[in-house]
Amino acid sequence: MIGGLFIYNHKGEVLISRVYRDDIGFFHVKRSNIWLAAVTKQNVNAAMVFEFLYKMCDVMAAYFGKISEENIKNNFVLIYELLDEILDFGYPQNSETGALKTFITQQGIKSQHQTKEEQSQITSQVTGQIGWRREGIKYRRNELFLDVLESVNLLMSPQGQVLSAHVSGRVVMKSYLSGMPECKFGMNDKIVIEKQGKGTADETSKSGKQSIAIDDCTFHQCVRLSKFDSERSISFIPPDGEFELMRYRTTKDIILPFRVIPLVREVGRTKLEVKVVIKSNFKPSLLAQKIEVRIPTPLNTSGVQVICMKGKAKYKASENAIVWEIKRMAGMKESQISAEIELLPTNDKKKWARPPISMNFEVPFAPSGLKVRYLKVFEPKLNYSDHDVIRWVRYIGRSGI
Amino acid sequence: MTDSKYFTTTKKGEIFELKAELNSDKKEKKKEAVKKVIASMTVGKDVSALFPDVVNCMQTDNLELKKLVYLYLMNYAKSQPDMAIMAVNTFVKDCEDPNPLIRALAVRTMGCIRVDKITEYLCEPLRKCLKDEDPYVRKTAAVCVAKLHDINAQLVEDQGFLDTLKDLISDSNPMVVANAVAALSEIAESHPSSNLLDLNPQSINKLLTALNECTEWGQIFILDCLADYAPKDDREAQSICERVTPRLSHANSAVVLSAVKVLMKFMEMLSKDLDYYSTLLKKLAPPLVTLLSAEPELQYVALRNINLIVQKRPEILKHEMKVFFVKYNDPIYVKLEKLDIMIRLASQANIAQVLAELKEYATEVDVDFVRKAVRAIGRCAIKVEQSAERCVSTLLDLIQTKVSYVVQEAVVVIKDIFRKYPNKYESVIATLCENLDSLDEPEARAAMTWIVGEYAERIDNADELLEGFLEGFHDESTQVQLQLLTAIVKLFLKKPTETQGLVQQVLSLATQDSDNPDLRDRGYIYWRLLSTDPVAAKEVVLAEKPLISEETDLIEPTLLDELICYIGTLASVYHKPPSAFVEGGRGVVLKSLPPRTASSESTESPETTPAGVPTGEQPDAIPAQGDLLGDLLNLDLGPPASGPPLPASSVQMAAVDLLGGGLDSLIGGPNFAAPPAAAAPANVGAAMGSGLSDLFDLTSGVGTLSGSYVAPKAVWLPAMKAKGLEISGTFTRQVGSISMDLQLTNKALQVMTDFAIQFNRNSFGLAPAAPLQIHAPLSPNQTVEISLPLSTVGSVMKMEPLNNLQVAVKNNIDVFYFSTLYPLHILFVEDGKMDRQMFLATWKDIPSENEAQFQIRDCPLSADAASGRLQSSNIFTVARRNVEGQDMLYQSLKLTNGIWVLAELRVQPGNPSFTLSLKCRAPEVSRHVYQAYETILKN
């Protein structure tokens, strides 16, 4: 198991150290300027150690925001307290922020004032089956938000051939629901729809065409996995507030929202002409936002002239790239940029890595075609259900990574 | 107010000031002071001087302050053990607190204070907490048992905590179960034989139920523990698999990997014809692919594991090649690993895509990556025959780039391609020769030299080229020198007229001017070969070489099976067994895949260790793979090439003086040393065999009355490792002569003849005293029993382990190697009884650091019976004494090489445990003598 845990700043000074055993051997992850390192000399479960370090980052971020040297120093007492709770003798314990926040607070613990019931509620929650949610949550208005966030990943050969494309999607839920609500989430999963299709032929004809094939998905720990395995239904009691309900990956029939067509011409040894065309490839009624195209330039660039039809473009010498930004762009449109890059003559043999052109965007639909079909809510004790809950669903498609 | 200010106080007299603040009456000030102390402690300042003052703050109802003080205690208690006792009372009191959070905090902290003196006070509170009504306290107490065990294992056993911990596996709360499992698993690692977890279908059922309910971390503990369970049949294995499969959809990668481990392991037991088997295979692929979208560090862990899985069960991911294509912004460690997996997945179906990718990678800028990509192209050529031509032309394109490291890598892989497809792509030699000057790395130079030598007859200026290399002979690295020597000899044999001078020159350089024994030995061999029998030389040096296969870069199968049992752990990331990097032997229990059950047997993998074998002894018995390979290269052996079978004694004589590097030179050179495919698995078999024989020594068998104990025969060389020849055997010692009793069985379809046997040099100079007398040919399915007399006058080289014996057996088909461990008592000579006075003097004379003490457990013999039995194996009782009801036997024995071992054997009537103290001037034999004692006394 984990023998000890350290947090270092970029100079290698120790900010936090907690030693459980006398061990050596390092695992580390980096967040901005901060290194989190776990040490061991046993044959530990390496995947678990890394997962734990990420989780630890999440927990810290949930408590005091950005993980920076300053924040860590400001909260070191809190961090020790958290560590004490989430890692015992190197064994990760309950690390759900929802549960932790019930008894580890930034104002110090007021345990002395807790009643006996409150205490046992805390302990049963921390150790219980539903460790991610506490009892007795009340909202005047029951409300939930579903965000379907997708990122499109595309690998292209230099010849413009698509080598592989996949969408990695996340369904993020923000729940503000009272009591212990039972939820059931449904989407246009091909397997489910085909299964139902056997019973009711009508539905197949209506929605069968739009169903999507999901290659694989993973769920937040609140989802009953055995039920998903047997019935492929997604049922759960959600944590309070924001959490990631599921992650999924699809590779079939992906709508690529844009096409990028680059054209590079070398004029002599000191000049480069670049032309890039982007075409939007979705319904004209929809608007893509925050479009940014990044065209890398050689290291020996001395000057750049750019002309673009739409948006703003700038050469950023420090980043070795031309950055072209477009605020909005409707579907089925086309736009282009051309640039002349002056190069300094060099005899530097070091080759330019020729990084690819990259593009960022946000579109208001799910490129995989995923649709939320329903989210049923039922709370047996407080007895409110579906129609008492206000639901919001949003789709966002983004560029990958 | 933030806490960062505590980090900044570095004034003089700080400790003094803090002391005053800690003793302040004001609570707030106290708390501030403790925070400052902790901050200093964190950055590594020594604040241990404040110990009593900080401990004084412990008695508080402020939980935050209490936690801080506890933190301080955990850090400094070890350096101030006496003062730590001061804190005990508060702990005991806190363990009674009505607030479960405080009870848990107290028991958690107490366990972290690693001071022996405190542990005894810990027992009572811990016992209570293990039975606490609150699950939070119980789960904390469960971990505390593991902590206590780490400090004082005996105490934990004596206090019966292990039983309480076992009971917690049936607890109603899933987290308590998970922590109990984690604690027990860790404790069990240090007691490999104890069967602590005692898993049975009932407890497994409980664990599987808890699996559905506990936290993600708890699921990992339980899955890791499940993986160690051995289901009784394939049906049980399947039902566990069914209940574990849903975990593959968990968001936590570690849960997924641990589930994969359980499935990969139990799949071993399922029949391949089962529908469920193929369903399971299909279910495994998507989650493995999903792991690749995790953060880079986890991706790397996942890729290393996928690398193992692909080797074990290539069918799982055979359609997923594309996901391993390298992305521009992958970190380099991810890129290299993906590349490796791509090659493993390459097949005729996807080779075009793979090659296109690899060619792209070879033009990137990162040197390591480019090199690996070029090498990968060569591996593809060797693996997928249909693609070889395209691979070669791709490599030629790359050579045209004239980028130095690309060219050098290309040369190295083209050499491999030649070895796989001889006489097919020689047209490229001209291009290679053009680039001779740009080769500056030893591996590339050696490869090029080999090519020139091998194809000397087709290269007009081969002699010029080699002469050019020879000019700087002394500046070349060893591998180039060796290669150059071989290449020139080849050239000479092919074009004797023009190259006599050259060969003279290289032979004298190698034999007279070199300090390197390998080079010198090889030089001498060639010299004698060429001078005595040029025809034989031609047959040997220009012999047809075995083709290489792509299997050479695979992980050796037994290691792979072991690593599969460690999926997700560090071992799987290093691709090394835990014993290779875990210190102190903790957690180095050898794990093995379960064997297929009766219903599905006969399909494959008879080589896996049977699950029932007690694994504790195993690591000793199996010599490390690396050593074995290394040693085998030095194995003295006559030419295996055809020709009349030499009388064994003459082979031996020749072997002793000059055949040092004989074997590898016959096969071509250092690059191709360790006759690739054939030799490596043979070693494994040998290691396995010897491990088994050793175990048999200890556990079963009947002794002969007239001499030393004889173990039953064990299989040393399984038929599948030796082209149908199975060898089993044992060692005996009777009236002063040692012999090796062998049983040879022909399980092949052809007749075997021309048997000969050779031993490698070994610790006690064991050598065959007569040739292996098998006169009649051995026809298929025939078995022959033979007793080979051994002498102890052979040449001596210390082996590891000491009693390791490496053997080569030759027949008309091939040469086979295996190694075995001989029991030391065959070396105990008949005149090993020492005079009493002499014994006393010698015992005193040998320094006490040479004394080793051992326990022989479970031996129900009386002192007399033991003495009698030992005597028949030449361990003589010199004197006997009775001290306080114990019998002390003083014994002596002598080894064939004249080493005396003195022993004191303490026997207590009614106690089956004997204590054995050994004194010897060569203490390294003590352990083996002890093993001999055990063997003799228990059989």
Side-chain angles (χ1 to χ4, degrees), chain A residues 13 27 35 41 50 71 78 107 146 152 155 176 200 210 217 240 247 250 257 276 283 290 355 370 387 389 391:
Chain A
E13 296 164 349
F27 295 82
W35 275 267
K41 67 176 171 194
F50 282 125
N71 272 344
L78 171 73
Q107 285 77 43
L146 269 180
V152 188
L155 192 64
Y176 303 104
T200 54
Q210 292 158 357
C217 43
D240 195 42
R247 271 172 191 247
T250 71
V276 176
K283 272 192 238 159
K290 300 181 192 166
L370 181 124
H387 40 272
V389 178
R391 276 162 295 185

Side-chain angles (χ1 to χ4, degrees), chain B residues 231-235 268-270 595-602:
Chain B
K232 62 178 191 305
D233 54 27
D234 49 345
R235 280 175 53 201
E268 201 65 18
M269 295 183 67
L270 301 177
R596 284 182 189 275
T597 43
S599 61
S600 59
E601 214 164 13
S602 85

Side-chain angles (χ1 to χ4, degrees), chain A residues 12 20 141 196 214-215 219 253 310 317 343 379 389 391:
Chain A
Y20 300 95
R141 197 161 76 147
Q196 291 171 344
I214 291 178
D215 287 29
F219 296 97
D253 306 322
K310 218 171 170 227
L343 301 176
E379 154 59 64
V389 178
R391 276 162 295 185

Side-chain angles (χ1 to χ4, degrees), chain B residues 339-518:
Chain B
L339 196 56
D340 208 51
I341 294 172
M342 275 170 71
I343 301 160
R344 296 199 192 285
L345 288 175
S347 66
Q348 204 186 337
N350 54 26
I351 194 74
Q353 267 183 329
V354 175
L355 267 184
E357 279 292 298
L358 291 178
K359 197 175 174 184
E360 216 51 66
Y361 302 163
T363 59
E364 291 227 9
V365 278
D366 189 299
V367 176
D368 286 338
F369 184 57
V370 171
R371 281 175 181 273
K372 193 149 184 185
V374 175
R375 218 159 256 234
I377 297 175
R379 276 167 70 185
C380 281
I382 289 164
K383 190 168 178 199
V384 186
E385 190 164 355
Q386 294 81 357
S387 73
E389 189 140 7
R390 289 170 63 179
C391 294
V392 171
S393 76
T394 308
L395 286 170
L396 284 179
D397 288 350
L398 290 172
I399 288 178
Q400 299 305 340
T401 62
K402 306 268 174 203
V403 178
S404 158
Y405 53 85
V406 174
V407 174
Q408 311 213 34
E409 282 300 323
V411 168
V412 173
V413 297
I414 286 180
K415 173 212 69 189
D416 287 341
I417 294 176
F418 283 170
R419 291 224 47 203
K420 168 80 180 178
Y421 311 106
N423 306 320
K424 214 167 161 191
Y425 299 108
E426 279 67 46
S427 52
V428 307
I429 292 178
T431 321
L432 297 185
C433 290
E434 285 164 22
N435 290 285
L436 214 56
D437 298 335
S438 60
L439 308 180
D440 51 12
E441 291 162 19
E443 205 184 346
R445 287 176 79 84
M448 193 62 214
T449 317
W450 182 86
I451 293 174
V452 174
E454 186 67 17
Y455 296 99
E457 68 274 30
R458 309 186 194 192
I459 306 172
D460 295 335
N461 59 345
D463 49 344
E464 282 168 38
L465 294 175
L466 290 176
E467 203 169 358
F469 275 108
L470 200 58
E471 275 162 21
F473 190 78
H474 287 298
D475 304 327
E476 298 284 3
S477 71
T478 312
Q479 60 169 326
V480 182
Q481 289 178 337
L482 284 166
Q483 217 41 261
L484 204 51
L485 173 59
T486 306
I488 293 179
V489 171
K490 282 181 187 168
L491 174 70
F492 171 69
L493 289 167
K494 289 174 177 174
K495 301 180 183 171
T497 46
E498 311 111 78
T499 54
Q500 199 141 16
L502 198 60
V503 82
Q504 293 270 336
Q505 196 185 344
V506 77
L507 285 176
S508 84
L509 277 172
T511 54
Q512 283 159 24
D513 299 349
S514 169
D515 293 335
N516 185 316
D518 288 343

Side-chain angles (χ1 to χ4, degrees), chain A residues 255-259 277-288 291 309-310 328-335 363-365:
Chain A
I255 310 156
L256 295 176
F258 289 95
R259 265 199 88 77
V277 182
I278 57 171
K279 287 181 181 169
S280 56
N281 181 31
F282 44 88
K283 272 192 238 159
S285 58
L286 297 175
L287 273 181
I291 301 160
M309 288 156 50
K310 218 171 170 227
R328 270 180 213 93
M329 184 165 174
M332 303 318 253
K333 287 267 164 51
E334 193 180 306
S335 188
V363 289
F365 63 90

Side-chain angles (χ1 to χ4, degrees), chain A residues 42-219:
Chain A
Q42 289 177 336
N43 180 30
V44 289
N45 188 323
M48 183 185 84
V49 176
F50 282 125
E51 280 284 2
F52 175 78
L53 292 177
Y54 298 139
K55 191 58 150 224
M56 165 107 195
C57 293
D58 292 348
V59 170
M60 290 198 291
Y63 268 94
F64 50 76
K66 203 177 148 242
I67 296 175
S68 62
E69 181 169 353
E70 199 189 349
N71 272 344
I72 286 179
K73 281 186 171 173
N74 282 341
N75 293 285
F76 82 98
V77 174
L78 171 73
I79 295 174
Y80 275 122
E81 213 174 304
L82 285 170
L83 259 181
D84 204 33
E85 198 52 49
I86 61 181
L87 194 64
D88 191 4
F89 197 47
Y91 294 112
Q93 304 289 307
N94 195 326
S95 50
E96 282 301 312
T97 16
L100 290 172
K101 279 194 171 167
T102 57
F103 67 107
I104 297 181
T105 58
Q106 266 167 304
Q107 285 77 43
I109 303 160
K110 305 182 183 76
S111 64
Q112 326 40 336
H113 313 302
Q114 286 165 340
T115 64
K116 215 172 165 191
E117 290 88 78
E118 276 172 337
Q119 287 166 3
S120 73
Q121 206 179 52
I122 289 171
T123 58
S124 77
Q125 194 207 334
V126 174
T127 61
Q129 293 183 25
I130 306 167
W132 53 87
R133 190 179 180 91
R134 62 195 162 91
E135 301 247 10
I137 298 172
K138 271 227 163 70
Y139 287 101
R140 228 154 45 96
R141 197 161 76 147
N142 287 310
E143 203 170 12
L144 66 85
F145 299 84
L146 269 180
D147 283 347
V148 178
L149 307 169
E150 295 199 337
S151 56
V152 188
N153 293 284
L154 180 70
L155 192 64
M156 246 185 184
S157 72
Q159 289 74 38
Q161 180 195 4
V162 175
L163 292 174
S164 78
H166 73 267
V167 164
S168 53
R170 304 187 298 144
V171 178
V172 176
M173 183 168 165
K174 254 182 251 174
S175 73
Y176 303 104
L177 302 169
S178 314
M180 290 299 233
E182 273 289 339
C183 299
K184 206 171 163 188
F185 174 71
M187 55 191 176
N188 55 342
D189 176 1
K190 204 170 181 179
I191 298 177
V192 176
I193 296 209
E194 273 168 9
K195 233 192 220 169
Q196 291 171 344
K198 280 177 199 153
T200 54
D202 286 355
E203 215 173 314
T204 330
S205 55
K206 253 195 285 173
S207 55
K209 209 180 72 187
Q210 292 158 357
S211 66
I212 60 158
I214 291 178
D215 287 29
D216 186 39
C217 43
T218 58
F219 296 97

Side-chain angles (χ1 to χ4, degrees), chain B residues 210-238:
Chain B
L211 184 61
N212 286 327
E213 293 165 350
C214 61
T215 64
E216 45 196 327
W217 314 114
Q219 296 185 16
I220 299 169
F221 305 151
I222 292 179
L223 286 168
D224 284 350
C225 168
L226 272 179
D228 287 341
Y229 174 63
K232 62 178 191 305
D233 54 27
D234 49 345
R235 280 175 53 201
E236 194 188 2
Q238 176 172 349

